[in-house]
Amino acid sequence: MDILKIATDWAKAEVFSSAFFILFGILFLLGSLGFWQWGKTEVAKVFTVPTLVAGALLLVIGIGLIYSNKSRLANFPGAYAHDATAFVQSEIVRAEKTMQEYQNIVFKVIPFIIVAAALLIVFVDKPIWRAIGIVTIAMMVAILLVDTNAHARIEAYHQQLMSVEKQ
């Protein structure tokens, strides 16, 4: 089993997946532009800033993840050539840490934020707060969509790393 190819394929998939954050960020920014230009009601106009902020955050997340994964991708061959066993060990540790972060942030904190935003919609009768709640839920759903798939990929990657370590 060529662990360098597996690691490289995993990192390339992460780069591709991270591009979806950028895509969602652009969609939110276009939505903000649309609310700003064509929003005729008070409710439509209050969506401008929350969608702008959400779009900017998703862009930052996507660009940051692409940068970090491309750096990791560039460093894989050198690290593997230097010490293959240490490379596998460090990737196992990193994958386990990342899986734990997904369990805490993606599968606990984000659903909690969605519930809090939903409660904001129900109990606060101001258009700006409802817009913030709705946009927050939409942004969290976009993050869940991308990160749920990333979690599945890193679990599979971790299993492959573990099988290489046992050999």
Side-chain angles (χ1 to χ4, degrees):
M1 183 181 299
D2 183 8
I3 196 62
L4 181 59
K5 182 179 179 343
I6 292 168
T8 301
D9 289 346
W10 171 80
K12 285 179 180 176
E14 288 300 304
V15 169
F16 178 75
S17 175
S18 299
F20 282 94
F21 283 120
I22 294 173
L23 175 68
F24 285 124
I26 290 169
L27 291 174
F28 273 84
L29 292 176
L30 289 173
S32 177
L33 180 67
F35 286 120
W36 177 57
Q37 285 295 308
W38 298 294
K40 301 291 183 208
T41 64
E42 179 187 358
V43 172
K45 289 181 182 185
V46 297
F47 273 90
T48 303
V49 174
T51 51
L52 179 70
V53 171
L57 288 173
L58 287 170
L59 277 177
V60 168
I61 291 169
I63 291 169
L65 287 172
I66 285 177
Y67 176 77
S68 68
N69 283 315
K70 281 196 169 199
S71 297
R72 185 173 292 127
L73 193 58
N75 292 331
F76 276 170
Y80 182 78
H82 178 52
D83 186 352
T85 305
F87 173 77
V88 171
Q89 279 299 317
S90 70
E91 282 297 295
I92 288 172
V93 169
R94 192 184 59 72
E96 288 173 349
K97 182 181 172 200
T98 303
M99 288 188 314
Q100 186 59 42
E101 289 172 356
Y102 278 121
Q103 285 298 332
N104 291 334
I105 296 170
V106 175
F107 299 119
K108 291 180 183 162
V109 173
I110 290 179
F112 177 76
I113 291 171
I114 290 172
V115 169
L119 291 173
L120 197 63
I121 295 167
V122 172
F123 292 112
V124 180
D125 193 21
K126 299 283 186 192
I128 185 66
W129 288 107
R130 285 191 173 161
I132 290 170
I134 291 167
V135 171
T136 300
I137 290 170
M139 185 175 87
M140 292 299 126
V141 168
I143 292 171
L144 275 175
L145 184 67
V146 175
D147 280 350
T148 300
N149 288 299
H151 181 257
R153 275 193 307 275
I154 201 157
E155 277 186 338
Y157 178 52
H158 180 259
Q159 287 175 350
Q160 291 172 324
L161 288 166
M162 295 302 287
S163 68
V164 167
E165 185 186 46
K166 290 178 183 174
Q167 293 176 355

